[in-house]
Amino acid sequence: SQKIEQNSEALNIQEGKTATLTCNYTNYSPAYLQWYRQDPGRGPVFLLLIRENEKEKRKERLKVTFDTTLKQSLFHITASQPADSATYLCALGSGGSYIPTFGRGTSLIVHP
Amino acid sequence: GAVVSQHPSRVICKSGTSVKIECRSLDFQATTMFWYRQFPKQSLMLMATSNEGSKATYEQGVEKDKFLINHASLTLSTLTVTSAHPEDSSFYICSAVGVAGGIPQETQYFGPGTRLLVL
């Protein structure tokens, strides 16, 4: 069955460093992959979408890579700030589907 | 743009009562809305897909008579938890997708969520 894996352990980093979060998947050939941010007690907020034919996408301090051979996406936040502390969810979708499947998310804690 | 609101944000009710949660797309028309349930530190669990003017499509294991969904307009979907019990206590989140050229887009815009506590 399809499986999306995100590290369940929180990632703790120091302010100013680059945070890197991982999303691995198995038994799946997604046409696109999304990253969302979720703050406690709030709904997720869309950050970036990357398609299977794209290797990398950037938006301000955010960078996402998509390696369909490794079945992995990496999500980077450069020059991290305490305000970046949140849970980050990856979501994968099939071609022609607008209903992605969400991973459990990884909590990021940026220490001042 | 692409703002989705949910009301109420928090509700506490007695066991056996029904609770209605509203989801509105404020600045775009959403032919399709989704209802999710999320337990602490768990993934979003899709409950149902709500299409304007038609019956909702429920995911396997979700009781359609328990969770009534109505999508009466292009900007409003409601979820009613009927005869709520303590095990229904959870965080309910709706989302909406926009449409371009008649094709639903992949990006989901989420509401802020509703925390339901059934005593």
Side-chain angles (χ1 to χ4, degrees), chain A residues 28-76:
Chain A
Y28 207 149
S29 295
Y32 65 90
L33 189 148
Q34 301 170 327
W35 283 90
Y36 290 80
R37 168 183 173 144
Q38 186 175 22
D39 290 283
R42 307 289 294 175
V45 174
F46 170 76
L47 296 176
L48 282 167
L49 179 151
I50 187 166
R51 301 192 185 279
E52 61 179 335
N53 60 348
E54 299 175 309
K55 296 286 187 191
E56 179 181 299
K57 188 165 270 191
R58 293 174 184 260
K59 179 182 176 183
E60 298 172 353
R61 293 185 297 113
L62 309 180
K63 184 178 86 171
V64 171
T65 63
F66 193 6
D67 190 327
T68 55
T69 301
L70 291 178
K71 295 187 181 296
Q72 180 182 80
S73 174
L74 298 178
F75 176 77
H76 306 273

Side-chain angles (χ1 to χ4, degrees), chain B residues 15 41 49 68 84 91 93 111:
Chain B
S15 186
K41 298 189 185 299
T49 302
L68 299 178
F91 191 50
I93 314 174

Side-chain angles (χ1 to χ4, degrees), chain B residues 51-107:
Chain B
N51 294 300
E52 186 265 336
S54 63
K55 290 185 178 180
T57 303
Y58 290 82
E59 295 299 302
Q60 192 173 11
V62 178
E63 299 176 57
K64 61 181 180 181
D65 295 329
K66 172 77 171 175
F67 300 99
L68 299 178
I69 292 173
N70 183 275
H71 195 151
S73 76
L74 286 172
T75 59
L76 173 64
S77 176
T78 60
L79 167 68
T80 300
V81 183
T82 62
S83 187
H85 289 285
E87 58 266 28
D88 298 323
S89 299
S90 188
F91 191 50
Y92 293 87
I93 314 174
C94 72
S95 71
V97 295
V99 176
I103 302 172
Q105 301 300 288
E106 297 110 338
T107 300

